[in-house]
């Protein structure tokens, strides 16, 4: 799993795959429309390939962003603060890498600063960057944790994600309103059950 996470932390499209042209992407959408049984040239579908490609550019813009860059500007004047910094209810909008169906939910992220802190908006941005890639929720949880550990050197990190997967609600077993919860605790959080309990209480409070 560590190799998978390290690879996912790499920025851009540096995954050994040449990115197709926009024209190739448009043609692929037209093919899918035809394969679904409809006519890509009918009035209501003529502009659909363009809209789909534009949507994909937005949904997967995380491949062109660098989480390390977001966390690079830190502040050392923390006046001795060494307790938990927690962000609640960060929107998660991602896509399952198995079916390319959305999974939507919330992330709760905390860290214990040592000598430096980072702007809180940057943590939300890191969640957004990793979310806007093809993902599993388990890997997403670990990627966020590792980015904070690698760039902030905190005493500990805690991440909880609570999301509903449309690959489960709109296909397959068709079970609605089932949420998946994943967690990751490192350092002080992993060593101190009372700290984990306080994180969970504050996160869901």
């Amino acid at each position: 799993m560590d190799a998978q996470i390290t690879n996912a932390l790499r920025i851009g499209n540096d995954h050994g795959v040449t990115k197709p042209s926009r024209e190739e992407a448009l043609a692929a959408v037209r093919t899918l429309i035809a394969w679904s049984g409809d006519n890509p040239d009918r009035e209501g579908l003529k502009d659909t390939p363009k809209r789909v490609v534009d949507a994909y550019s937005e949904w997967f813009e995380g491949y062109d962003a660098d989480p390390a860059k977001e966390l690079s500007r830190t502040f050392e004047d923390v006046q001795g603060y060494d307790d938990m910094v927690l962000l609640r209810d960060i929107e998660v909008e991602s896509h399952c890498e198995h079916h390319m169906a959305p999974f939507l939910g919330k992330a709760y992220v905390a860290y214990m600063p040592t000598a430096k802190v980072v702007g809180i908006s940057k943590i939300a941005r890191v969640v957004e960057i990793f979310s806007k890639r093809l993902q599993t929720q388990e890997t997403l949880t670990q990627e966020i944790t590792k980015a904070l550990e690698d760039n902030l050197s905190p005493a500990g990190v805690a991440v909880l994600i609570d999301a509903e997967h449309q690959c489960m609600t709109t296909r397959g077993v068709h079970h609605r309103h089932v949420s998946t919860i994943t967690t990751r605790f490192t350092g002080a959080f992993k060593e101190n059950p009372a700290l984990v309990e306080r994180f969970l209480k504050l996160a869901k409070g």
Side-chain angles (χ1 to χ4, degrees), residues 8-144:
L9 286 167
R10 295 162 64 192
I11 66 171
N13 293 292
D14 184 20
H15 297 284
V17 177
T18 301
K19 187 173 182 177
S21 68
R22 180 176 175 83
E23 289 70 27
E24 289 173 316
L26 292 169
V29 177
R30 287 177 55 85
T31 298
L32 283 174
I33 292 172
W35 180 85
S36 297
D38 214 322
N39 178 8
D41 291 320
R42 73 174 174 85
E43 187 64 31
L45 291 173
K46 281 184 178 179
D47 292 328
T48 296
K50 175 182 180 297
R51 288 190 289 261
V52 171
V53 170
D54 288 345
Y56 267 50
S57 295
E58 182 177 344
W59 288 337
F60 301 118
E61 65 184 8
Y63 287 110
D64 296 318
D66 183 0
K69 182 178 179 180
E70 297 294 333
L71 297 171
S72 63
R73 185 181 180 188
T74 58
F75 306 93
E76 297 184 0
D77 184 16
V78 296
Q79 302 294 319
Y81 185 85
D82 60 358
D83 204 348
M84 188 188 310
V85 177
L86 168 65
L87 274 72
R88 302 192 307 185
D89 297 321
I90 305 170
E91 296 285 349
V92 170
E93 298 177 359
S94 194
H95 285 75
C96 166
E97 65 184 37
H98 299 143
H99 299 96
M100 297 182 74
F103 65 90
L104 310 172
K106 304 281 188 179
Y108 306 82
V109 180
Y111 73 103
M112 301 283 289
T114 50
K116 56 187 177 181
V117 296
V118 69
I120 55 176
S121 67
K122 303 303 183 183
I123 296 175
R125 176 63 179 145
V126 166
V127 173
E128 181 182 272
I129 288 172
F130 285 124
S131 295
K132 290 185 179 296
R133 301 178 182 185
L134 290 170
Q135 285 287 11
T136 67
Q137 185 173 325
E138 294 87 346
T139 300
L140 175 60
T141 305
Q142 296 195 74
E143 286 173 346
I144 296 167

